[in-house]
Amino acid sequence: MLGYVNELRVALIGYGLAGRWFHAPLIAGTPDLRVTEVVTSNPERRDQALDDHPGVRVVADVDALWEGSRPDLVVVATTNATHVPLAMAAVERGVPVVVDKPLGVSSAEAQGLVRAAEQAGVLLTVFQNRRWDSDYLTLRRLVDRGELGRVLRFESRFERWRPEADVSAWRAADPAQGGQLLDLGSHLVDQAVQLLGPVTHIYAEVSGPRGLPTDDDAFLALRHTSGAISHLRASALTAAPGPRLRVLGTRAGYVVRDLDSQEDALRAGRRPEAESEWGREPEAAWGRLVRGEEEEIVESEPGNWPVFYGQLARALRGGEPPPVNPWDAVETLRILDLARQSADTCSVVSLTP
């Protein structure tokens, strides 16, 4: 890693899937940031952190973290229900904080956190990394250039085939953590709102066909102020997954089959700073611009998750806004709250300003 004389010291709370495989490598690949502390009570993860980041200080709980010197940034990569209390502890100590999505388990608690950060003058942002997926960046390019015309329908899916659930996983076992609607739904809704703007009406179907305490199949239909409609689906029980994106406009449609490959690359141990072609998809995975029976292959933009921590480092130095406005995450949670209400009542729910 290229070092700065005064690198910003990062404390990473949680060293599971998100902490070890997503946040830690991206932080380590950002020249102005360095993981100096990890909070985990799991002995195996403790050893992994020490091996991954020589010289890192590993502590078993957050209280021990605050007993040491104050870090320059805290990253919360723990279970969903702990996001707000852990982030609030950082805010109360004046420490900037990144929260893995979702920001909270409800819009009300997330709103309280954002207001507290604003009142304290503490930087708070949310890891909505899917804004920098290859497919989504390519779609934004096409929309900005007018190649689709006016977008009429945005279909976005995170569909998986996992008929045998891991009942020991906290996402599956604990209803307070939210299930697929809160987990992958946070990405789906964030992308839809970023692309098409505010939402006026919501209809949702949420179910648990695998018999878990949490939902594992969710469908949302959103009507935007622009008149466009988003159809969003997050599922762990889809035997025949649809395309990752199908976007229909007045001039053309755009279809992408596969999910961005950055997650798989990180989990395989590959690192952005070591690859000049990081995030570039093979031609076989590029999307298609379709006009009825006519279609053409569209070169994909490289995925760029590293931009999150690069921009965050500049924000901490005072030069740029944070990569994600936390109020965007509050609005996403408000939509998800109302989606659950819609599913419970089998009705269309209006979003009031």
Side-chain angles (χ1 to χ4, degrees):
M1 168 181 165
L2 296 175
Y4 278 53
V5 174
N6 296 309
E7 290 174 328
L8 297 168
R9 295 167 297 115
V10 182
L12 180 54
I13 304 177
Y15 208 66
L17 172 62
R20 185 186 187 196
W21 295 111
F22 300 163
H23 291 277
L26 296 177
I27 294 166
T30 303
D32 208 8
L33 302 177
R34 181 164 60 95
V35 177
T36 56
E37 295 167 293
V38 170
V39 179
T40 179
S41 60
N42 182 299
E44 181 180 355
R45 293 175 181 176
R46 176 186 182 278
D47 292 342
Q48 290 169 344
L50 290 169
D51 185 58
D52 295 341
H53 308 278
V56 72
R57 173 179 175 243
V58 182
V59 296
D61 56 54
V62 177
D63 289 340
L65 171 67
W66 298 125
E67 291 171 1
S69 60
R70 196 188 81 165
D72 298 304
L73 174 70
V74 164
V75 177
V76 177
T78 53
T79 58
N80 293 341
T82 65
H83 285 182
V84 167
L86 289 173
M88 189 69 80
V91 168
E92 290 170 349
R93 289 166 173 81
V95 179
V97 59
V98 173
V99 182
D100 196 63
K101 65 79 204 161
L103 179 54
V105 295
S106 72
S107 58
E109 70 162 10
Q111 182 174 279
L113 173 63
V114 176
R115 285 179 173 165
E118 288 184 342
Q119 292 169 1
V122 173
L123 184 149
L124 167 68
T125 190
V126 185
F127 190 60
Q128 293 287 173
N129 55 308
R130 295 291 178 183
R131 293 187 184 186
W132 294 279
D133 275 6
S134 171
D135 49 39
Y136 186 69
L137 291 174
T138 307
L139 173 60
R140 291 302 301 253
R141 183 189 76 201
L142 295 173
V143 170
D144 291 345
R145 291 180 179 178
E147 296 193 42
L148 301 185
R150 180 168 57 87
V151 175
L152 303 173
R153 189 175 300 270
F154 174 65
E155 297 176 5
S156 181
R157 302 174 179 85
F158 287 118
E159 295 176 331
R160 299 162 173 168
W161 175 235
R162 296 177 178 172
E164 300 299 326
D166 180 3
V167 295
S168 66
W170 59 264
R171 284 187 177 88
D174 185 357
Q177 306 290 353
Q180 296 289 317
L181 179 65
L182 189 61
D183 181 27
L184 296 176
S186 295
H187 286 311
L188 293 167
V189 171
D190 180 72
Q191 286 188 341
V193 173
Q194 289 298 304
L195 182 72
L196 298 172
V199 172
T200 63
H201 295 82
I202 302 167
Y203 170 76
E205 300 167 1
V206 181
S207 62
R210 294 189 297 178
L212 299 172
T214 58
D215 64 83
D216 45 28
D217 191 280
F219 168 78
L220 285 75
L222 311 179
R223 181 175 292 276
H224 299 264
T225 54
S226 64
I229 294 174
S230 292
H231 280 180
L232 314 174
R233 189 158 188 268
S235 175
L237 197 68
T238 300
R244 166 69 189 94
L245 292 177
R246 189 176 78 139
V247 188
L248 306 177
T250 55
R251 295 184 60 188
Y254 177 60
V255 182
V256 181
R257 182 189 62 196
D258 299 320
L259 181 65
D260 175 278
S261 63
Q262 292 177 92
E263 176 176 342
D264 287 344
L266 289 169
R267 295 180 71 170
R270 293 164 54 192
R271 296 296 176 257
E273 69 274 17
E275 299 187 17
S276 60
E277 295 291 296
W278 177 262
R280 189 170 296 280
E281 301 293 334
E283 186 172 348
W286 292 355
R288 296 173 291 124
L289 200 61
V290 183
R291 302 175 187 88
E293 296 182 356
E294 300 177 4
E295 64 177 59
E296 61 180 289
I297 303 298
V298 177
E299 182 174 358
S300 293
E301 293 287 326
N304 198 6
W305 289 9
V307 77
F308 179 92
Y309 276 105
Q311 186 173 335
L312 177 59
R314 294 188 292 273
L316 291 168
R317 295 295 191 190
E320 291 190 10
V324 174
N325 186 326
W327 285 110
D328 292 348
V330 173
E331 183 62 12
T332 289
L333 284 166
R334 187 163 77 110
I335 291 169
L336 293 173
D337 289 345
L338 293 175
R340 198 170 294 281
Q341 177 184 327
S342 169
D344 289 344
T345 60
C346 298
S347 63
V348 175
V349 177
S350 298
L351 235 72
T352 54

